[in-house]
């Protein structure tokens, strides 16, 4: 202790108790394969180094029966502890390892019986390699600082096994990659307030990590302003990891300078409890949750996700057992892609911005319970949820939706809602609404919700309406007229009115549907106009009776005035003994007109009178009109009967 040595060579040294080099200064120490039954203490020692490739501290294969202390130790050059065995703890607090651009500590396959400490200002300038290390207690990096500018990770814990907790404390800084691929931590990975800085590539690579809770959160502090949030500059990879507790990133920050790469890559991650990317969490670059499985709740509320003009959140085939939350001050600048996700509930608020494109995509979503888009939701771009399956209600409450791809603001094409589709708004949606082939139980909507642009309702089906008693059928018909024409949409509304016992309303709907049906060419248009006036396309056959009454009055008045243009037939003259004036008194204009208008029924008036001049044309017109109206009446009655039968 306190010695000055040129060097110490003690390979295969075996001591029954302790080895002390406290406060000593020397160029190097060689203890390859040494066996120290007691403590091994190099605290406050200074090792000046020697030429590469030889290690300054060569301790590969060393075996220590108790604790090993490197407190305040300074090493210039490589420290080699490959395959070392330490039965107690390994303490490197306040130690400094200097080997810039190369490996400062090589300790792969290291075995520690208890805890390992890199705390209280530990500093490494060079790579630290702990691949395959086995730590019997906790591995604590506290406020340590790691710096490495080479290609190797600044801190390599690949395949490491930690029996208790892995701690990166407030003040921890790694300048260079931290590798945790394939590591197993039976306790928690705690990185509250830690800084991982590797802008050019990956800050943390923890693919295949097995751990309990993973905390990338804000460090605790008595005052709010003193709290340091977890920060990673560079990619954070958790792909295919297994987290048996919660992944908590509240208040943390991950930024990837490369916009075409993921800031947080958690593809295929399995989390037994909750995922929390909330409470001020920020990500610059894509957050990739494709195929992730969350056993509890996934909370992204108050999170900020930035990847302008690209994908901000990619969560295709995400599974969330309970509730997926994107509420409060949630904001995504870029696409939010939740295609084929499976959730218990979904609650969405906040803001999503991707103008003129699909901004929030939920195609193929499966929700066991409710899906709610809360008041205050702003989507700049299309909110698209095609072919989704909602086990309960879908509520869209007072959103601010604007035009997206192809002018569509809300696209629910092919979606099935078992319960209620509730659509509420203070003002009209800012683009088209597409409900084609969608199917819902109860439709509960505000008229103010529907846009001025054509709504696409073809093959949209619903079982009932919430406003039978509060909204007139005419208002509903106007709603249909605001959509692109389809015969099915009128048939659907009519079927709902019939099921509610409103047969008159159903007929009015179908009549209006026939009025709106496009016609090609003037013959079809004329025929359509005739059917509308006479029998209301078969829905109002009584109209023909009103027409007959009008022409009956017309004929009665006309023949009363022009009775002198009616001459009695020879039979009638003979019957009156050639008394023409007496025969004229036999004329009954009303009965004569009715006989003309009802050609199938004879009242004996047509054969008794001969018409002259204009009266002949009027009589002929009334006869032809009678045949036409009679045929149309039969046609209308036949159509009405066929509809009732079907």
């Amino acid at each position: 202790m306190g010695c000055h040595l040129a060097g110490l060579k003690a390979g295969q040294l075996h001591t029954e108790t302790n080895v002390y080099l406290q406060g000593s200064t020397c160029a190097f120490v060689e203890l390859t394969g040494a066996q120290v039954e007691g403590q091994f203490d190099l605290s406050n020692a200074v090792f000046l180094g020697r030429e590469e490739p030889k290690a300054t501290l060569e301790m590969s294969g060393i075996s220590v029966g108790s604790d090993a202390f490197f407190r305040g130790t300074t090493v210039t050059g490589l420290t080699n502890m490959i395959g070392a065995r330490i039965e107690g703890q390994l303490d490197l607090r306040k130690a400094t390892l200097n080997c810039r651009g190369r490996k400062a500590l090589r300790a792969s396959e290291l075995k520690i019986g208890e805890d390992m400490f890199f705390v209280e200002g530990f500093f490494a300038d060079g790579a630290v390699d702990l691949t395959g290390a086995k730590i019997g207690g906790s591995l604590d990096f506290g406020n340590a600082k790691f710096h490495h500018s080479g290609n190797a990770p600044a801190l390599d814990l690949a395949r490491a096994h930690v029996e208790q907790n892995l701690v990166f404390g407030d003040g921890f800084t790694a300048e260079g990659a931290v590798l945790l691929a394939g590591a197993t931590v039976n306790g928690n990975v705690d990185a509250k307030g830690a800084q991982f800085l590797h802008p050019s590539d990956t800050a943390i690579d923890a693919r295949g990590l097995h751990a309990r809770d993973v905390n990338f959160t804000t460090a605790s502090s008595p005052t709010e302003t003193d709290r340091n949030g977890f920060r990673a500059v560079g990619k954070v990879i958790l792909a295919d990891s297994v987290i048996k507790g919660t992944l908590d990133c509240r208040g943390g920050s991950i930024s990837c300078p490369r916009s075409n790469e993921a800031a947080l890559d958690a593809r295929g991650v399995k989390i037994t409890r909750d995922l929390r990317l909330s409470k001020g969490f920020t990500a610059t670059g894509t957050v990739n949750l494709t195929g992730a499985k969350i056993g509890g709740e996934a909370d992204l509320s108050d999170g900020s996700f930035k990847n302008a003009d690209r994908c901000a959140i990619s969560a295709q085939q995400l599974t969330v057992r309970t509730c997926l939350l994107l509420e409060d001050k949630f904001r995504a600048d870029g696409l939010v892609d939740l295609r084929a996700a499976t959730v218990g509930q979904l609650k969405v608020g906040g803001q999503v911005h991707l103008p003129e494109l699909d901004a929030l995509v939920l195609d193929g979503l499966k929700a066991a319970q409710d899906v709610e888009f809360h008041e205050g939701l702003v989507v700049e771009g299309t909110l698209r949820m095609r072919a989704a399956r909602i086990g309960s209600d879908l509520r869209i409450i007072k959103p601010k939706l604007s035009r997206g791809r192809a002018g569509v603001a809300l696209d629910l094409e092919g979606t099935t809602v078992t319960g209620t589709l509730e659509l509420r708004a203070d003002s009209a949606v800012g683009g088209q609404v597409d409900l084609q082939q969608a199917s819902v139980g109860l439709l509960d909507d505000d008229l103010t919700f529907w846009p001025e642009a054509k709504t696409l309702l073809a093959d949209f089906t619903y079982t009932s309406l919430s406003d039978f008693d509060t909204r007139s059928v005419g208002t509903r018909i106007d709603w249909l007229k605001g959509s692109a024409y389809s015969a099915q949409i009128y048939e659907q509304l009519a079927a709902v009115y019939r099921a509610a016992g409103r047969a008159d309303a159903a007929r009015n709907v179908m009549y209006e549907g026939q009025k709106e049906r496009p016609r090609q060419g003037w013959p079809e248009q004329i025929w359509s106009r005739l059917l509308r006036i006479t029998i209301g396309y078969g829905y109002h056959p009584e109209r023909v009776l009103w027409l007959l009454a009008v022409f009956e009055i017309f004929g009665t008045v006309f023949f009363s005035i022009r009775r002198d243009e009616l001459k009695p037939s020879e039979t009638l003259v003979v019957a009156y003994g050639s008394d023409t004036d007496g025969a004229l008194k036999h004329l009954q204009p009303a009965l004569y007109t009715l006989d003309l208008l009802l050609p199938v029924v004879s009242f004996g008036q047509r054969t008794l009178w001969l018409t002259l001049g204009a009266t002949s044309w009027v009589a002929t017109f009334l006869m032809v009109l009678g045949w036409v109206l009679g045929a149309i009446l039969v046609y209308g009655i036949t159509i009405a009967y066929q509809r009732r039968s079907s």
Side-chain angles (χ1 to χ4, degrees):
M1 295 185 290
C3 295
H4 294 266
L5 307 174
L8 174 62
K9 291 187 177 182
Q12 309 302 321
L13 171 69
H14 184 184
T15 70
E16 293 186 0
T17 55
N18 309 319
V19 171
Y20 294 121
L21 284 167
Q22 296 166 318
S24 294
T25 300
C26 60
F28 66 91
V29 171
E30 291 185 4
L31 287 167
T32 305
Q35 185 173 348
V36 179
E37 300 291 348
Q39 290 184 344
F40 182 55
D41 194 342
L42 281 70
S43 298
N44 298 313
V46 177
F47 300 95
L48 303 175
R50 56 179 174 172
E51 294 182 2
E52 290 286 333
K54 293 184 178 181
T56 299
L57 285 183
E58 177 56 74
M59 296 181 291
S60 57
I62 191 172
S63 176
V64 179
S66 183
D67 302 326
F69 298 102
F70 291 77
R71 296 173 180 171
T73 302
T74 300
V75 181
T76 300
L78 172 64
T79 299
N80 190 355
M81 297 183 70
I82 293 176
R85 305 287 186 272
I86 299 172
E87 298 297 326
Q89 62 180 345
L90 175 57
D91 190 345
L92 289 95
R93 71 186 66 206
K94 298 183 181 179
T96 300
L97 306 181
N98 292 309
C99 196
R100 176 168 293 186
R102 299 188 295 274
K103 283 195 175 180
L105 173 61
R106 184 181 293 161
S108 55
E109 306 304 326
L110 171 70
K111 289 187 179 179
I112 307 295
E114 298 178 10
D115 300 329
M116 186 174 183
F117 299 101
F118 294 81
V119 295
E120 297 181 18
F122 171 89
F123 175 73
D125 189 356
V128 173
D129 183 359
L130 293 167
T131 56
K134 292 180 173 57
I135 313 300
S138 294
L139 178 54
D140 190 348
F141 290 97
N143 59 351
K145 291 178 171 53
F146 293 79
H147 173 81
H148 182 56
S149 57
N151 294 325
L155 176 58
D156 193 343
L157 289 162
R159 304 187 311 281
H161 184 102
V162 181
E163 282 294 330
Q164 297 181 24
N165 300 323
L166 173 58
V167 180
F168 302 95
D170 184 13
F172 172 90
T173 302
E175 295 179 337
V178 173
L179 188 60
L180 287 164
T184 299
V185 181
N186 289 337
N188 301 331
V189 176
D190 191 346
K192 295 176 182 176
Q195 312 286 303
F196 298 82
L197 312 175
H198 195 209
S200 62
D201 200 348
T202 301
I204 302 174
D205 187 346
R207 68 189 77 197
L209 170 71
H210 284 64
R212 193 166 63 195
D213 292 337
V214 176
N215 297 314
F216 294 159
T217 59
T218 301
S220 58
S221 174
T223 61
E224 188 76 24
T225 55
D226 292 337
R227 295 181 181 179
N228 294 318
F230 166 89
R231 185 165 71 104
V233 180
K235 294 186 292 185
V236 174
I237 302 175
L238 289 168
D240 300 318
S241 294
V242 176
I243 299 172
K244 297 179 181 178
T246 295
L247 173 56
D248 192 347
C249 298
R250 289 176 294 178
S253 170
I254 302 174
S255 60
C256 181
R258 302 178 183 178
S259 59
N260 61 336
E261 295 185 2
L264 173 59
D265 184 354
R267 291 174 293 176
V269 68
K270 294 179 175 64
I271 301 173
T272 302
R273 294 176 61 190
D274 301 330
L275 169 65
R276 295 173 182 159
L277 304 177
S278 57
K279 302 298 181 184
F281 171 80
T282 62
T284 303
T286 303
V287 171
N288 194 335
L289 295 168
T290 301
K293 291 180 171 58
I294 316 299
E297 178 181 272
D299 188 358
L300 283 70
S301 301
D302 291 321
S304 177
F305 302 83
K306 303 174 183 177
N307 199 16
D309 301 326
R310 296 177 181 268
C311 185
I313 300 174
S314 177
Q316 300 177 29
Q317 299 178 339
L318 169 69
T319 300
V320 180
R321 185 173 178 271
T322 57
C323 191
L324 173 58
L325 304 173
L326 295 82
E327 298 183 295
D328 301 328
K329 295 180 182 179
F330 169 85
R331 182 183 177 104
D333 292 297
L335 171 65
V336 177
D337 189 349
L338 290 163
R339 281 178 287 185
T342 301
V343 301
Q345 286 182 298
L346 173 62
K347 297 182 180 181
V348 183
Q351 302 182 38
V352 182
H353 298 273
L354 191 59
E356 304 299 327
L357 296 172
D358 296 323
L360 177 54
V361 177
L362 297 148
D363 294 353
L365 174 77
K366 294 179 181 178
Q369 300 178 43
D370 298 339
V371 172
E372 300 179 12
F373 297 93
H374 291 316
E375 182 175 356
L377 170 66
V378 175
V379 179
E380 191 176 2
T382 301
L383 194 169
R384 199 179 87 189
M385 189 164 66
R386 295 179 177 176
R389 299 291 179 267
I390 314 301
S392 185
D393 300 334
L394 171 58
R395 300 186 183 94
I396 304 177
I397 309 298
K398 298 182 179 179
K400 293 182 180 178
L401 307 180
S402 58
R403 299 167 57 89
R405 190 184 299 275
V408 177
L410 175 62
D411 188 348
L412 299 177
E413 181 179 345
T415 288
T416 299
V417 180
T418 302
T420 299
L421 172 59
E422 184 176 349
L423 304 172
R424 298 272 180 252
D426 291 328
S427 59
V429 173
Q432 279 191 316
V433 175
D434 188 346
L435 289 169
Q436 295 181 101
Q437 300 176 5
S439 175
V440 305
L442 175 69
L443 176 60
D444 183 3
D445 62 327
D446 287 340
L447 286 180
T448 52
F449 179 89
W450 302 102
E452 295 181 3
K454 289 288 187 182
T455 301
L456 305 177
L457 294 174
D459 297 317
F460 172 48
T461 60
Y462 41 96
T463 304
S464 185
L465 297 168
S466 64
D467 56 6
F468 285 124
D469 299 326
T470 59
R471 194 175 296 170
S472 68
V473 64
T475 305
R476 274 294 172 196
I477 290 171
D478 290 341
W479 170 59
L480 296 184
K481 290 179 179 179
S483 66
Y485 176 81
S486 167
Q488 179 273 334
I489 65 177
Y490 289 91
E491 293 168 0
Q492 168 63 45
L493 182 58
V496 169
Y497 276 116
R498 277 195 295 270
R502 303 278 297 276
D504 290 343
R507 283 195 297 272
N508 289 337
V509 171
M510 293 304 295
Y511 169 72
E512 293 295 333
Q514 286 295 327
K515 279 178 61 177
E516 294 297 317
R517 188 171 70 85
R519 267 83 181 185
Q520 301 296 326
W522 63 266
E524 187 179 1
Q525 293 175 8
I526 292 174
W527 176 244
S528 172
R529 185 65 59 87
L530 182 60
L531 290 181
R532 185 201 309 178
I533 295 171
T534 55
I535 56 172
Y537 299 110
Y539 296 103
H540 299 287
E542 69 280 1
R543 288 185 180 180
V544 74
L545 300 178
W546 288 105
L547 285 173
L548 287 172
V550 169
F551 283 105
E552 170 65 19
I553 294 170
F554 166 76
T556 301
V557 173
F558 179 83
F559 292 125
S560 296
I561 296 172
R562 309 290 290 270
R563 59 191 307 133
D564 56 337
E565 294 184 7
L566 291 170
K567 301 298 181 183
S569 66
E570 185 177 347
T571 303
L572 191 59
V573 171
V574 172
Y576 277 86
S578 300
D579 184 1
T580 303
D581 294 336
L584 282 172
K585 294 179 181 178
H586 187 76
L587 175 64
Q588 300 182 35
L591 193 60
Y592 179 68
T593 302
L594 189 61
D595 209 0
L596 292 174
L597 289 171
L598 300 177
V600 178
V601 179
S602 176
F603 295 100
Q605 291 292 312
R606 279 174 291 177
T607 58
L608 296 178
W609 304 97
L610 302 175
T611 56
L612 301 174
T615 305
S616 299
W617 290 104
V618 173
T620 303
F621 167 75
L622 291 176
M623 289 181 62
V624 173
L625 180 66
W627 280 106
V628 171
L629 292 180
I632 290 174
L633 178 62
V634 172
Y635 174 73
I637 292 172
T638 302
I639 291 175
Y641 176 77
Q642 290 175 346
R643 286 173 180 150
R644 282 196 295 270
S645 299
S646 61

